[in-house]
Amino acid sequence: SSSSSSSSSSSSCSKMKHTTILEALFAGGVAGICVDTMLFPLDTIKTRLQSSKGFSAAGGFQGVYRGLCAAVIGSAPVASLFFGAYETTKYLLDAEEGGSHYGATAHMISGMVGETVACVMVVPTENVKQKVQAGLHMSAYSSLRAIIKTEGPWGLYRGYLTTVFR
């Protein structure tokens, strides 16, 4: 009885359907919005604790959802990019291996590719969001305009390499 359950378990694993790119993009987008919305107040408090203005002057515990709009707008595409790149890379690496089981190396490489691709959206979103959270700007739009005006479009990517390498 136990041998039949283990054989049916292993055969059901081998029959698992490959996640399509659209499924990965959709699931990643929904997951990103959920996670970012739930953790946003903690992120705001952390940002204010690190503010050069000081915690209280940056807003303290008031308005911990200020900047949420920018985070939500950015979180769906960021998570979609990550999971889309991750699943695509994992699929391509598995195809290279002749359809063998995914090894730890394939997952590691897929994660690195996914994170590098996602950071194209993560870094600008974080730069805009953190300035709103720290009380430097009242909205994501005013933060975005200020960054572009003072630093140019590449200012949105300040810290890209640091983010990718961490």
Side-chain angles (χ1 to χ4, degrees):
S1 154
S2 67
S3 65
S4 66
S5 67
S6 67
S7 67
S8 68
S9 168
S10 64
S11 67
S12 67
C13 285
S14 64
K15 294 179 185 176
M16 288 178 62
K17 180 174 82 82
H18 171 70
T19 304
T20 68
I21 186 75
L22 288 177
E23 290 170 334
L25 292 172
F26 180 75
V30 171
I33 288 171
C34 291
V35 169
D36 284 353
T37 300
M38 291 174 57
L39 296 178
F40 193 81
L42 293 174
D43 189 43
T44 300
I45 291 168
K46 177 196 73 143
T47 299
R48 290 177 181 177
L49 285 168
Q50 296 171 342
S51 173
S52 60
K53 292 171 38 175
F55 180 71
S56 294
F61 291 106
Q62 300 294 316
V64 293
Y65 282 98
R66 186 183 312 138
L68 177 63
C69 181
V72 168
I73 288 170
S75 67
V78 165
S80 293
L81 283 173
F82 173 82
F83 284 108
Y86 177 88
E87 289 295 331
T88 301
T89 304
K90 190 171 71 169
Y91 175 78
L92 292 172
L93 289 174
D94 188 50
E96 288 291 316
E97 295 174 7
S100 64
H101 294 293
Y102 300 121
T105 304
H107 287 284
M108 182 180 69
I109 292 169
S110 299
M112 290 185 329
V113 170
E115 191 64 30
T116 302
V117 169
C119 280
V120 170
M121 287 283 307
V122 167
V123 173
T125 301
E126 285 293 311
N127 282 332
V128 168
K129 179 188 74 167
Q130 287 176 357
K131 291 183 184 311
V132 175
Q133 287 176 320
L136 299 175
H137 303 285
M138 293 306 295
S139 71
Y141 181 70
S142 65
S143 179
L144 175 66
R145 284 181 49 128
I147 292 169
I148 292 172
K149 182 178 180 181
T150 59
E151 302 176 50
W154 291 112
L156 293 168
Y157 288 93
R158 181 179 299 272
Y160 178 81
L161 290 176
T162 305
T163 304
V164 168
F165 288 126
R166 77 179 161 122

PDB file of all heavy atoms in Angstrom, residues 3 22 33 37 52-53 55 63-64 84 91 97 107 115 122 162 164:
ATOM      1  N   SER A   3       3.961   1.411  -1.039  1.00  0.00           N
ATOM      2  CA  SER A   3       4.709   1.505  -2.288  1.00  0.00           C
ATOM      3  C   SER A   3       3.834   2.024  -3.417  1.00  0.00           C
ATOM      4  O   SER A   3       4.304   2.729  -4.283  1.00  0.00           O
ATOM      5  CB  SER A   3       5.311   0.148  -2.661  1.00  0.00           C
ATOM      6  OG  SER A   3       4.278  -0.784  -2.924  1.00  0.00           O
ATOM      7  N   LEU A  22       2.303  33.403 -19.307  1.00  0.00           N
ATOM      8  CA  LEU A  22       1.161  34.227 -18.882  1.00  0.00           C
ATOM      9  C   LEU A  22       0.734  33.887 -17.455  1.00  0.00           C
ATOM     10  O   LEU A  22       0.391  34.784 -16.685  1.00  0.00           O
ATOM     11  CB  LEU A  22      -0.010  34.062 -19.851  1.00  0.00           C
ATOM     12  CG  LEU A  22       0.174  34.720 -21.214  1.00  0.00           C
ATOM     13  CD1 LEU A  22      -1.024  34.433 -22.122  1.00  0.00           C
ATOM     14  CD2 LEU A  22       0.371  36.214 -21.077  1.00  0.00           C
ATOM     15  N   ILE A  33       1.351  42.546  -5.597  1.00  0.00           N
ATOM     16  CA  ILE A  33       0.430  43.535  -5.041  1.00  0.00           C
ATOM     17  C   ILE A  33       0.060  43.171  -3.601  1.00  0.00           C
ATOM     18  O   ILE A  33       0.066  44.034  -2.719  1.00  0.00           O
ATOM     19  CB  ILE A  33      -0.830  43.662  -5.919  1.00  0.00           C
ATOM     20  CG1 ILE A  33      -0.479  44.371  -7.226  1.00  0.00           C
ATOM     21  CG2 ILE A  33      -1.938  44.421  -5.188  1.00  0.00           C
ATOM     22  CD1 ILE A  33      -1.590  44.363  -8.255  1.00  0.00           C
ATOM     23  N   THR A  37       1.329  45.514  -0.453  1.00  0.00           N
ATOM     24  CA  THR A  37       0.286  46.205   0.306  1.00  0.00           C
ATOM     25  C   THR A  37       0.347  45.840   1.781  1.00  0.00           C
ATOM     26  O   THR A  37       0.238  46.709   2.650  1.00  0.00           O
ATOM     27  CB  THR A  37      -1.110  45.874  -0.267  1.00  0.00           C
ATOM     28  OG1 THR A  37      -1.152  46.289  -1.639  1.00  0.00           O
ATOM     29  CG2 THR A  37      -2.205  46.582   0.496  1.00  0.00           C
ATOM     30  N   SER A  52      17.420  61.104   6.946  1.00  0.00           N
ATOM     31  CA  SER A  52      18.346  62.082   7.518  1.00  0.00           C
ATOM     32  C   SER A  52      17.596  63.155   8.303  1.00  0.00           C
ATOM     33  O   SER A  52      18.182  63.830   9.150  1.00  0.00           O
ATOM     34  CB  SER A  52      19.186  62.720   6.409  1.00  0.00           C
ATOM     35  OG  SER A  52      18.345  63.380   5.483  1.00  0.00           O
ATOM     36  N   LYS A  53      16.295  63.311   8.034  1.00  0.00           N
ATOM     37  CA  LYS A  53      15.470  64.283   8.761  1.00  0.00           C
ATOM     38  C   LYS A  53      15.123  63.789  10.163  1.00  0.00           C
ATOM     39  O   LYS A  53      14.706  64.586  11.003  1.00  0.00           O
ATOM     40  CB  LYS A  53      14.156  64.530   8.003  1.00  0.00           C
ATOM     41  CG  LYS A  53      14.333  65.247   6.686  1.00  0.00           C
ATOM     42  CD  LYS A  53      13.095  65.313   5.806  1.00  0.00           C
ATOM     43  CE  LYS A  53      11.786  65.508   6.476  1.00  0.00           C
ATOM     44  NZ  LYS A  53      10.660  65.667   5.529  1.00  0.00           N
ATOM     45  N   PHE A  55      13.192  60.361  12.383  1.00  0.00           N
ATOM     46  CA  PHE A  55      11.944  59.615  12.301  1.00  0.00           C
ATOM     47  C   PHE A  55      10.711  60.505  12.437  1.00  0.00           C
ATOM     48  O   PHE A  55       9.808  60.473  11.605  1.00  0.00           O
ATOM     49  CB  PHE A  55      11.926  58.517  13.384  1.00  0.00           C
ATOM     50  CG  PHE A  55      10.675  57.692  13.387  1.00  0.00           C
ATOM     51  CD1 PHE A  55      10.423  56.787  12.367  1.00  0.00           C
ATOM     52  CD2 PHE A  55       9.745  57.810  14.409  1.00  0.00           C
ATOM     53  CE1 PHE A  55       9.266  56.015  12.369  1.00  0.00           C
ATOM     54  CE2 PHE A  55       8.591  57.052  14.419  1.00  0.00           C
ATOM     55  CZ  PHE A  55       8.346  56.147  13.397  1.00  0.00           C
ATOM     56  N   GLY A  63       0.530  58.626   8.577  1.00  0.00           N
ATOM     57  CA  GLY A  63       0.507  58.425   7.127  1.00  0.00           C
ATOM     58  C   GLY A  63       1.404  57.307   6.641  1.00  0.00           C
ATOM     59  O   GLY A  63       2.105  57.481   5.647  1.00  0.00           O
ATOM     60  N   VAL A  64       1.383  56.154   7.331  1.00  0.00           N
ATOM     61  CA  VAL A  64       2.278  55.060   6.947  1.00  0.00           C
ATOM     62  C   VAL A  64       1.922  54.428   5.600  1.00  0.00           C
ATOM     63  O   VAL A  64       2.701  53.641   5.070  1.00  0.00           O
ATOM     64  CB  VAL A  64       2.362  53.960   8.040  1.00  0.00           C
ATOM     65  CG1 VAL A  64       3.032  54.490   9.288  1.00  0.00           C
ATOM     66  CG2 VAL A  64       1.007  53.373   8.332  1.00  0.00           C
ATOM     67  N   GLY A  84       8.142  35.911 -14.634  1.00  0.00           N
ATOM     68  CA  GLY A  84       8.226  35.608 -16.056  1.00  0.00           C
ATOM     69  C   GLY A  84       9.639  35.235 -16.471  1.00  0.00           C
ATOM     70  O   GLY A  84       9.853  34.232 -17.161  1.00  0.00           O
ATOM     71  N   TYR A  91      12.745  27.062 -17.640  1.00  0.00           N
ATOM     72  CA  TYR A  91      12.302  26.229 -18.746  1.00  0.00           C
ATOM     73  C   TYR A  91      13.434  26.026 -19.757  1.00  0.00           C
ATOM     74  O   TYR A  91      13.676  24.913 -20.218  1.00  0.00           O
ATOM     75  CB  TYR A  91      11.086  26.857 -19.430  1.00  0.00           C
ATOM     76  CG  TYR A  91      10.635  26.117 -20.654  1.00  0.00           C
ATOM     77  CD1 TYR A  91       9.890  24.942 -20.537  1.00  0.00           C
ATOM     78  CD2 TYR A  91      10.954  26.579 -21.932  1.00  0.00           C
ATOM     79  CE1 TYR A  91       9.486  24.249 -21.658  1.00  0.00           C
ATOM     80  CE2 TYR A  91      10.548  25.899 -23.052  1.00  0.00           C
ATOM     81  CZ  TYR A  91       9.814  24.732 -22.925  1.00  0.00           C
ATOM     82  OH  TYR A  91       9.415  24.048 -24.042  1.00  0.00           O
ATOM     83  N   GLU A  97      19.015  20.664 -20.484  1.00  0.00           N
ATOM     84  CA  GLU A  97      19.402  19.444 -19.788  1.00  0.00           C
ATOM     85  C   GLU A  97      18.645  18.229 -20.310  1.00  0.00           C
ATOM     86  O   GLU A  97      18.700  17.165 -19.727  1.00  0.00           O
ATOM     87  CB  GLU A  97      19.145  19.597 -18.276  1.00  0.00           C
ATOM     88  CG  GLU A  97      19.994  20.651 -17.620  1.00  0.00           C
ATOM     89  CD  GLU A  97      19.599  20.871 -16.178  1.00  0.00           C
ATOM     90  OE1 GLU A  97      18.767  20.119 -15.646  1.00  0.00           O
ATOM     91  OE2 GLU A  97      20.131  21.808 -15.576  1.00  0.00           O
ATOM     92  N   HIS A 107      17.744  26.560 -10.647  1.00  0.00           N
ATOM     93  CA  HIS A 107      16.940  27.476  -9.833  1.00  0.00           C
ATOM     94  C   HIS A 107      17.738  28.725  -9.456  1.00  0.00           C
ATOM     95  O   HIS A 107      17.213  29.833  -9.467  1.00  0.00           O
ATOM     96  CB  HIS A 107      16.433  26.781  -8.568  1.00  0.00           C
ATOM     97  CG  HIS A 107      15.339  25.808  -8.841  1.00  0.00           C
ATOM     98  ND1 HIS A 107      14.044  26.189  -9.104  1.00  0.00           N
ATOM     99  CD2 HIS A 107      15.347  24.454  -8.913  1.00  0.00           C
ATOM    100  CE1 HIS A 107      13.302  25.121  -9.309  1.00  0.00           C
ATOM    101  NE2 HIS A 107      14.072  24.056  -9.199  1.00  0.00           N
ATOM    102  N   GLU A 115      15.763  38.298 -10.917  1.00  0.00           N
ATOM    103  CA  GLU A 115      16.014  39.482 -10.087  1.00  0.00           C
ATOM    104  C   GLU A 115      16.649  40.607 -10.898  1.00  0.00           C
ATOM    105  O   GLU A 115      16.284  41.778 -10.744  1.00  0.00           O
ATOM    106  CB  GLU A 115      16.920  39.111  -8.911  1.00  0.00           C
ATOM    107  CG  GLU A 115      17.031  40.168  -7.865  1.00  0.00           C
ATOM    108  CD  GLU A 115      15.720  40.470  -7.154  1.00  0.00           C
ATOM    109  OE1 GLU A 115      14.873  39.578  -7.021  1.00  0.00           O
ATOM    110  OE2 GLU A 115      15.540  41.626  -6.730  1.00  0.00           O
ATOM    111  N   VAL A 122      12.144  47.689 -10.280  1.00  0.00           N
ATOM    112  CA  VAL A 122      12.244  47.837  -8.822  1.00  0.00           C
ATOM    113  C   VAL A 122      12.922  49.145  -8.447  1.00  0.00           C
ATOM    114  O   VAL A 122      12.428  49.898  -7.606  1.00  0.00           O
ATOM    115  CB  VAL A 122      13.028  46.665  -8.185  1.00  0.00           C
ATOM    116  CG1 VAL A 122      13.406  46.963  -6.739  1.00  0.00           C
ATOM    117  CG2 VAL A 122      12.226  45.383  -8.256  1.00  0.00           C
ATOM    118  N   THR A 162      23.850  48.222  -7.063  1.00  0.00           N
ATOM    119  CA  THR A 162      23.850  47.822  -5.664  1.00  0.00           C
ATOM    120  C   THR A 162      22.667  46.907  -5.364  1.00  0.00           C
ATOM    121  O   THR A 162      22.807  45.900  -4.677  1.00  0.00           O
ATOM    122  CB  THR A 162      23.784  49.065  -4.750  1.00  0.00           C
ATOM    123  OG1 THR A 162      24.857  49.933  -5.086  1.00  0.00           O
ATOM    124  CG2 THR A 162      23.854  48.695  -3.290  1.00  0.00           C
ATOM    125  N   VAL A 164      20.970  45.013  -7.543  1.00  0.00           N
ATOM    126  CA  VAL A 164      21.151  43.740  -8.238  1.00  0.00           C
ATOM    127  C   VAL A 164      22.129  42.846  -7.485  1.00  0.00           C
ATOM    128  O   VAL A 164      21.887  41.651  -7.316  1.00  0.00           O
ATOM    129  CB  VAL A 164      21.623  43.963  -9.694  1.00  0.00           C
ATOM    130  CG1 VAL A 164      22.101  42.658 -10.320  1.00  0.00           C
ATOM    131  CG2 VAL A 164      20.520  44.566 -10.538  1.00  0.00           C
TER     132      VAL A 164
END
